[in-house]
Structures are given as structure tokens and as C-alpha cells.
Amino acid sequence: SYAPSTTRLCLVSPPDLVLLVWLLGNSGRTGEWIDGALWLTALLALIVFPARLQTGRWHACLDTPSGRVAFIDRQQYQRDAWILQRVRPGEQFFAATDSHLYFILHLRNPTQLPWVTGTQYTRPEYVAAAVHELEKLRVLFVLWSTGLTITGDGSPGANNLAPLRAYLRSRYAPIKTFELGYQVWQRKSDAAVH
């Protein structure tokens, strides 16, 4: 996929930063002012942001299969702790929008998609493949975001996720809703397992 994901943008941005530094170094007096402002901003970011995150805010830690994970968001902590109690490392689990769960909980994504969106980023052929894999592997849990029920421009309506939503409604039932707008769906035929 050639979509502008976070990983892809991080890989292509270092040359841009080198070019920016070179341009600022060759722009005379104005460049010196801009250069000083950028250094001041960087120093403030190195001091202020970490201090702000580490003091005066709610935080908690969760012992996961990948190690201890710190949280500064209570709802995300509660959601991830709830999921951790119900899955085992190596288990198939589909997290529609939060791919970090695969890493911290050592879960396996049954699809080719790191996440899905209500935009054209998620192509119909990948949605069809995801439905096929979820059915073939009989994945027990799916973490779904209620934000995926609208299109990318914010309006209700059809997008490429309609077959995936229909599949979820036919084979899964929501068992837990979280404040962040997430729902855990469990496969109907396996509802008595957990």
C-alpha cells in the first residue's frame, strides 16, 4: 500500500529535515533568527512536554506480555486492561483502529490491514479479504470503533466498510462498550467460551 501512513511519513521526512537545515544555513540574517527560534522551540519541547506529561496527570501501568506499559488516559487503560484479561498471547484478534494492541498484548492480526478507516484508504478488496480471514479463522474478538460508522468526510453514509459492518452484525454480538467509543464484539457461536 502506498497510502500516507505514519510509518511511511516518518521514513520520508528525514531528508526534508536535512534540506530545511541546509536552506536555513544559507539564508543569511533571517535564517539566523529562524534558526534561533527553532532551537528555542526544540528546547522547550524537550523540557516542557515531558514535564507536563509526568506531573499532575492521572497515570497507571499495566503489565502486558510485551512488558510494563504506562498509560496517561484512564479510558484507554481500562479498555486495554479489560481486553488483557480475556485474550492470550498469540491469539487472533482484530483491532479495527488500534493496532498498538497487537504489539503490547502479543496478539495476531488475522487480516492484511493494520487498521481500517471510513475513507478510501481502506479499499474494497482489502475489506473483502478481511471478512474472509475473520470467517476462516473464526476470530473470537473484534475491537470496533463507533467512529467507523460514518464516512471520511464526517457525514453518515456508505463507504467501503459496509460489508465488514454487515459481517460483524451477522456473526458477532457487542459484549462491552467503552467511553472512548469502542466496542468489543464476540463471535456469536463462541459466546459461551469466555
Side-chain angles (χ1 to χ4, degrees):
S1 167
Y2 296 105
S5 66
T6 305
T7 304
R8 185 172 183 78
L9 292 175
C10 288
L11 291 173
V12 299
S13 46
D16 294 338
L17 294 174
V18 170
L19 184 60
L20 175 64
V21 169
W22 180 79
L23 286 172
L24 290 175
N26 292 324
S27 61
R29 189 81 173 136
T30 305
E32 289 177 17
W33 283 95
I34 295 172
D35 194 33
L38 288 174
W39 274 109
L40 180 61
T41 303
L43 287 173
L44 284 173
L46 286 172
I47 296 167
V48 173
F49 292 143
R52 188 174 147 250
L53 287 174
Q54 294 177 16
T55 59
R57 293 184 80 173
W58 179 92
H59 63 280
C61 291
L62 187 61
D63 291 319
T64 71
S66 63
R68 187 163 228 180
V69 178
F71 290 85
I72 57 172
D73 184 298
R74 186 182 312 266
Q75 286 85 20
Q76 186 178 4
Y77 168 80
Q78 290 169 344
R79 184 199 65 195
D80 291 5
W82 189 90
I83 293 169
L84 177 63
Q85 293 173 357
R86 286 155 181 83
V87 297
R88 294 176 302 280
E91 189 174 335
Q92 298 283 351
F93 182 91
F94 183 55
T97 59
D98 274 1
S99 57
H100 79 276
L101 288 169
Y102 301 128
F103 175 74
I104 68 169
L105 301 181
H106 287 198
L107 300 173
R108 295 176 55 207
N109 182 352
T111 73
Q112 299 174 21
L113 301 168
W115 59 82
V116 296
T117 70
T119 67
Q120 292 301 311
Y121 175 85
T122 305
R123 304 298 306 146
E125 57 272 19
Y126 290 121
V127 171
V131 168
H132 174 75
E133 290 300 315
L134 289 169
E135 183 62 24
K136 179 178 133 187
L137 297 170
R138 300 180 56 84
V139 175
L140 183 59
F141 293 114
V142 171
L143 178 65
W144 191 256
S145 170
T146 56
L148 293 175
T149 58
I150 58 174
T151 62
D153 64 4
S155 61
N159 58 40
N160 296 335
L161 298 181
L164 184 54
R165 286 195 301 270
Y167 172 76
L168 271 179
R169 285 190 298 273
S170 71
R171 297 284 197 272
Y172 290 79
I175 60 169
K176 179 72 174 173
T177 301
F178 297 95
E179 290 181 37
L180 291 171
Y182 291 97
Q183 289 182 320
V184 175
W185 292 61
Q186 185 173 5
R187 192 169 179 86
K188 288 178 183 176
S189 60
D190 300 327
V193 174
H194 284 277

